[in-house]
Amino acid sequence: MRRFFAVARVLMALALVVAVAAQLRVSLRFWIDRGDQALAVDVANFFSYFTMQTSLFHAVVFALGAWFLLARRGADPGWLGALRAAATTYTVTTGVVYNALLRGLPQEPGLEQPWADEILHSIVPVCALLDWLLAPGRSPVRWRTVGWIAVYPVLWVVYTMVRGPFVLDEGTGDPWWYPYPFLDPMASAGGYGSVAVWVAVLAVAITAMAAVLVGISRWRTRPADDQHGDDHGDDGGDDGGDDGGDDGGDDGGERSR
């Protein structure tokens, strides 16, 4: 079981990196063909998307999680559980927001990369949730982690709103650029008030998602699933060799706790 989920995490990490790289390659070609003068700004914009940042973060967390599944037995260290909770929160929330609000929006011709979008916004979010629910080794995550998980999205929103008015959108010619339409105060009659409402809604959604995932970790902790199976197999061999001696029985009892 540990090997299965380790392989799955490696595949998910690779899928995320490949999808982001493919989308960047297509975007670079599009910007060059369009005649953009500030490619460095275009690249900065690309990596300013919440999806791109969190996808690369989750790729690293997937890789760490795979290594721990193969390198050790029992529960994950607490810091890894917190990182996995954060990455899963961001990835699942991104998938929900994309499919609820952004999927139907048209893209500029030449920027479409449907398979990469599906990996980033549908396939990996579902797999990440299944990994959180079913993978062995999960340790209970502290409730205060929910607050820490909310810190990064808040910082990202601040960065986005402070940077946006000073970035030229070479596609439209507008002297501002925001990664998502619901964060663009110029795209709504409500201006910054409308943006504030969306930020509040997303903050609640992220916090709720984090709380649910942390609650699941505390309710259905799987501290040593595979260790029990492996150790019992070893104990059976040892106990058989010792003809069911008391020491073997005591050892088995200790490990079962």
Side-chain angles (χ1 to χ4, degrees):
M1 183 66 75
R2 296 182 77 89
R3 286 197 184 99
F4 172 82
F5 277 98
V7 170
R9 288 176 181 178
V10 169
L11 291 176
M12 288 301 101
L14 290 174
L16 286 171
V17 172
V18 169
V20 171
Q23 190 63 64
L24 178 60
R25 180 181 62 83
V26 168
S27 298
L28 281 170
R29 185 172 64 235
F30 174 82
W31 299 326
I32 293 171
D33 292 343
R34 190 172 65 180
D36 285 13
Q37 300 298 310
L39 287 179
V41 174
D42 288 334
V43 172
N45 290 347
F46 179 86
F47 286 108
S48 292
Y49 281 93
F50 189 83
T51 299
M52 300 307 168
Q53 293 182 13
T54 56
S55 293
L56 294 176
F57 169 61
H58 207 160
V60 173
V61 174
F62 270 137
L64 283 172
W67 186 86
F68 270 91
L69 281 178
L70 295 176
R72 56 180 288 169
R73 301 285 181 84
D76 294 335
W79 62 267
L80 180 58
L83 285 180
R84 289 187 59 227
T88 305
T89 297
Y90 304 149
T91 296
V92 174
T93 303
T94 296
V96 171
V97 171
Y98 174 83
N99 286 285
L101 301 177
L102 303 174
R103 177 175 284 278
L105 296 181
Q107 287 187 317
E108 293 189 63
L111 276 179
E112 303 96 337
Q113 195 78 331
W115 65 268
D117 281 339
E118 291 305 315
I119 287 175
L120 295 173
H121 299 112
S122 298
I123 296 173
V124 170
V126 170
C127 291
L129 185 57
L130 291 175
D131 179 78
W132 184 260
L133 293 173
L134 304 176
R138 187 181 62 234
S139 57
V141 179
R142 295 181 177 181
W143 282 113
R144 66 186 181 189
T145 303
V146 173
W148 287 109
I149 290 173
V151 169
Y152 162 69
V154 170
L155 293 177
W156 178 82
V157 167
V158 172
Y159 159 80
T160 299
M161 301 311 297
V162 169
R163 179 177 182 269
F166 302 100
V167 179
L168 173 66
D169 186 338
E170 293 201 51
T172 63
D174 294 330
W176 65 82
W177 181 88
Y178 297 89
Y180 302 105
F182 52 80
L183 292 179
D184 185 352
M186 312 300 178
S188 169
Y192 283 97
S194 176
V195 171
V197 171
W198 278 112
V199 169
V201 169
L202 294 175
V204 170
I206 288 174
T207 303
M209 180 66 68
V212 168
L213 294 178
V214 169
I216 289 172
S217 79
R218 302 179 68 85
W219 174 52
R220 292 188 58 191
T221 299
R222 304 167 66 93
D225 305 10
D226 302 82
Q227 183 181 2
H228 282 239
D230 293 340
D231 285 350
H232 285 324
D234 292 339
D235 291 345
D238 292 340
D239 292 347
D242 293 339
D243 294 327
D246 293 338
D247 291 343
D250 293 342
D251 291 345
E254 289 296 322
R255 279 191 289 270
S256 69
R257 289 197 287 271

